[in-house]
Amino acid sequence: MKAKLVLYFLITFLLLHFTKNAESLLVVKPYTSEAVIGERAIFNCSTSGKSDEIQWFHYPKTNPERQIIYGFNKIYDAYKAFRIEMNNSTGALNLIIPSVASPDAGKYECQDEYGRGEKSHAELIVLMTTPVCQSDTDLNKVVGENNCGIQPDKLLLSCIVQYNGNEHPVMNWKRVGGGNTDGVAMPPAVQSDRVVYNISLSGDSIVNRSSYECVASRGSSQKSSCRSGNMTIVSKSVSCQDSCQDSSNAVIALVIVFIIIPIVAGVTASLVHYFLVYRPKSKAKTERADTVFEKKYIEAVFRATLLLLPFYVGSLVILAKYLIAHLQIRRQQKSTGEKTLSTVEKVPLQGEKTSSTKEKSPPGGDEDVAEKSAPKEPLITARESNQTTNTAVVKKQSRDNDELGARKEPSDDKLTRKIHQWKETHGKGITKGSELDKAIDKLHFDKAELKKKFHRIESEKNELYNKMQSEGKKFVFETQKLQAEKEALKSKVKELEQRLCEADTADYLERSMLVHRIAAKAHAGEKKENKENKESKENRENNAITGIAVLEKSLFISHENTAEIEVYDSATYMYVRQLSVPDMGPIGIYDMASWVKSSSSSSASSKLSCLILIGQFKESNDCSGIRRIDTNGKILKPWPSGGNAGRLSVYESNIVVCLSDKRVINEFNEDGGLIHAVRLSPSDGFNHLWHAIKVTSMHFVVSHENKVDNLHKVCVVDLKGNIMKECQDLGKASSPSTFKVPVCLLDGSMGSILVVDRENQRVILLDSSLKWQKKLLDTNYKVTKDKHQFPIRLSFDETGNRLFVAVNKFSSKVWIEGEVLIFKVK
């Protein structure tokens, strides 16, 4: 039982341990989206860790350099119109673009663990206008399947889209209402900012009254789609009956000429031969009979020929007539494609409503009265499914239709005129009050009523239009009022957020207070007090501090002109020991920083830690060297810095070296391999570099002096040395309002930057946009009781929330008497 409990607790401990130290992963990644200008776009991103660790970046199409949108709980100024939707329970941090604009196109990237973990990206394709659908054929008269041998129409539908983005939008054609598209989609024709999607359709596969829609496959609204018009399929059973009748007549004529007439002629010739040849020969076989026979035979053949000649001539004339007519109809069908057919409206498709081509007159007009009084003409319809209807029946229906169309009732004016003419001719016996007059009076009364009704509807329409206009103006006014209130609320919220941030910053800053000071003196605990040691002690007391670092609960302090490093307990501030750096030159150490990296061993909690030094070593001649040493002084890795002197900082596991003489920022890995070399131009004001730190994977913060105008600045530069942001005027909130030798930088929390303003004897705090936040502390007489102490180095101990500030005195153009001031911060 005890063994089971021990095993259970061991497994639980291991699960909790590895789960706690496991790296977070992106569980929801953004996907490519297409949006019309003015629409709303959303990119989703969720992590298995904390949602506030996600950062968003943008790679604009016009500028492939990565721009930060959101990070350290803040949206940057260039993207202040964007919104962030955060859900800590699900680890979601979604990016929202309320109103998409053309410059928003490009690649968007979310990255976990404050820009150091897993990342995923997606494209935003901005549609400059809504898609436009076009057709190369009149959709109201599309030739479909027919029984006249006419080829169905071929339609080409085009969807034209103008866009801005790294990819072209993906559009799909589909039939409205579902079902098969029954078309052939063609490859898109892509230009620089325009793409065309075509689909080919056949008239015999199109459903009557159907329409097609071109939709953006990755769009989210109706604005990213367009529709073609409804397609009307034209039936050809009636329109081609004349040509079919002509063909049948031609066939009949051919039968008469080449079959019936030869048969009749043959039968006639046989009868003549029988009666005039065989029969006379049997009765009288004399020469005289033969002579008579020949004469009679010739006479009979001549008469038969004369008798049949009109039939031959008539048949040939009929055949020629119908052949010419048939050829003319076929030529017309080929040239016009049977698009303009006189009988189309007489043969509507199944399910369609018939309508007259005559325009309707307005209510109450003369035509309305005439149409009301006239009988409705019966319209003949032809069903699509009954395409094998007898041709004679369809022809009869067409003739009836023509007769009915000829019997249309005349208009109101013609009806009145004809009535007056009839009354003048036949109206002698008709008296007033007869049925005809009553009917006419009733029609005129109905006409007047309809006109009154029409005018009343017009007045109501105008009144409604005026009301809508006034309501629209009122609505616009209310909308503008609400918009103004919204903007006012936004400004108030922004002001409150600023006050809250200032309050938090003030609470963070104003509570920093001096808790201890260390007068850095080597050999303070030695017992030997000979003359040589006393001189060495006096020299070290006068040596200025060149670097400090907090590592593994120890404070390391380096001085100029010495190879020895003093070690103090960072909690009790007691002197512990000293370690000596081998092969150090006479100038000593220029700067020092602490370096920590997670171990790759099975124990996830173990870390590798050491000190990074830059100084003059014996074998490096005039070039400074970098040494990675452990806490006992053992050199782990040496390599040259690439210049003279230099200042250090650490970004993740990389070492950043700022070389003032070269105006170069070199970034090395832990083994001394050069990763980046950022060169800064004097034309941009980089005459003398003080310090540099790396804040993101793409940006450095540099403090420097421009000797031309004697201005001291703090700038953000990219990997190419371009200035992204700069700060030289701190504003009215700061006194003094400018820097004076910003000699040291430190990366603070929430993207803030700590700046050591040496000659102004203060440490100030800037936000991620290099805007003034607060003065963190002073090293002047009010705090240190010594007006000659100037801050030169910083180191922060996160475990105890303590800030270690190295200060030196300046006397006779020499830095002396270095001390370390320890401030307690919240």
Side-chain angles (χ1 to χ4, degrees), residues 549-610:
V550 178
L551 183 67
E552 296 180 354
K553 298 181 180 181
S554 296
L555 172 64
F556 297 85
I557 304 174
S558 64
H559 299 268
E560 64 181 8
N561 304 325
T562 179
E564 296 175 352
I565 298 175
E566 298 174 341
V567 183
Y568 292 82
D569 190 313
S570 62
T572 62
Y573 315 121
M574 298 296 294
Y575 174 80
V576 178
R577 60 189 173 91
Q578 69 178 16
L579 58 90
S580 181
V581 180
D583 299 329
M584 181 61 69
I587 297 178
I589 299 171
Y590 296 130
D591 198 3
M592 178 169 54
S594 58
W595 182 87
V596 179
K597 179 185 177 182
S598 298
S599 174
S600 59
S601 62
S602 60
S603 176
S605 61
S606 61
K607 294 182 178 180
L608 300 176
S609 59
C610 61

Side-chain angles (χ1 to χ4, degrees), residues 464-531:
L464 182 61
Y465 177 75
N466 294 332
K467 187 177 180 181
M468 288 175 62
Q469 267 195 331
S470 61
E471 291 293 334
K473 291 180 180 178
K474 185 178 179 181
F475 174 75
V476 171
F477 175 75
E478 293 293 336
T479 304
Q480 292 176 350
K481 185 178 177 181
L482 290 175
Q483 188 68 21
E485 292 179 357
K486 179 181 177 182
E487 294 297 330
L489 288 175
K490 279 185 179 179
S491 61
K492 287 183 179 179
V493 169
K494 188 175 181 180
E495 183 180 355
L496 289 174
E497 289 178 350
Q498 185 69 21
R499 288 182 180 178
L500 181 62
C501 181
E502 290 177 357
D504 291 341
T505 306
D507 190 42
Y508 170 73
L509 297 173
E510 291 176 356
R511 295 197 181 191
S512 58
M513 57 183 177
L514 182 64
V515 295
H516 198 79
R517 61 198 304 168
I518 298 175
K521 298 177 182 179
H523 296 273
E526 289 186 358
K527 294 180 180 179
K528 295 181 180 180
E529 293 291 342
N530 54 37
K531 182 178 180 180

Side-chain angles (χ1 to χ4, degrees), residues 29-33 41-45 55-61 66-70 78-79 82-84 95-111 119-126 164-166:
K29 300 179 180 180
Y31 58 90
T32 298
S33 180
I42 300 177
F43 290 99
N44 298 318
C45 189
Q55 290 185 346
W56 279 99
F57 301 94
H58 181 210
Y59 296 83
K61 182 186 176 184
R66 186 168 79 164
Q67 308 292 329
I68 184 168
I69 302 174
Y70 175 85
Y79 299 90
F82 289 15
R83 298 288 179 267
I84 292 295
L95 178 65
I96 300 174
I97 308 176
S99 181
V100 171
S102 179
D104 297 336
K107 183 171 72 173
Y108 287 81
E109 181 180 82
C110 74
Q111 191 170 10
K119 58 185 177 181
S120 178
H121 65 269
E123 293 286 342
L124 175 61
I125 305 167
V126 179
N164 183 22
N166 298 320

